[in-house]
Amino acid sequence: MDNEKEIRWVGSSYDDILEFPAEARREAGFQLGRIQVGLDPEDWKPFDDLGSGVREIRIHDSVEFIV
């Protein structure tokens, strides 16, 4: 666990995730955990507008949330 990548929250992103429905919040946490240990999230696309290597993680619920 010493090699886990740091999560850097930008703007209101952390507070936004806290507003997700419970299941979507759990899924977001699971996907972020995958990234922290060096794995790809299950559903993502490049988000180069923020910088090289940045990924948009897609979480699907009854309403689609994008992290």
Side-chain angles (χ1 to χ4, degrees):
M1 293 220 189
D2 293 334
N3 296 329
E4 283 187 1
K5 296 178 183 179
E6 176 186 0
I7 295 174
R8 295 183 189 162
W9 302 100
V10 177
S12 65
S13 58
Y14 181 76
D15 291 330
D16 295 341
I17 285 181
L18 294 178
E19 296 296 321
F20 285 8
E23 183 59 33
R25 212 172 38 246
R26 278 190 292 276
E27 182 64 21
F30 177 76
Q31 297 304 323
L32 289 169
R34 288 179 58 90
I35 291 170
Q36 284 188 288
V37 298
L39 301 172
D40 285 333
E42 292 173 347
D43 188 6
W44 66 276
K45 70 178 185 178
F47 196 48
D48 295 329
D49 292 348
L50 290 180
S52 177
V54 176
R55 296 177 178 180
E56 175 184 293
I57 303 170
R58 295 181 279 195
I59 306 295
H60 302 278
D61 197 54
S62 59
V63 176
E64 185 173 292
F65 291 92
I66 300 174
V67 180

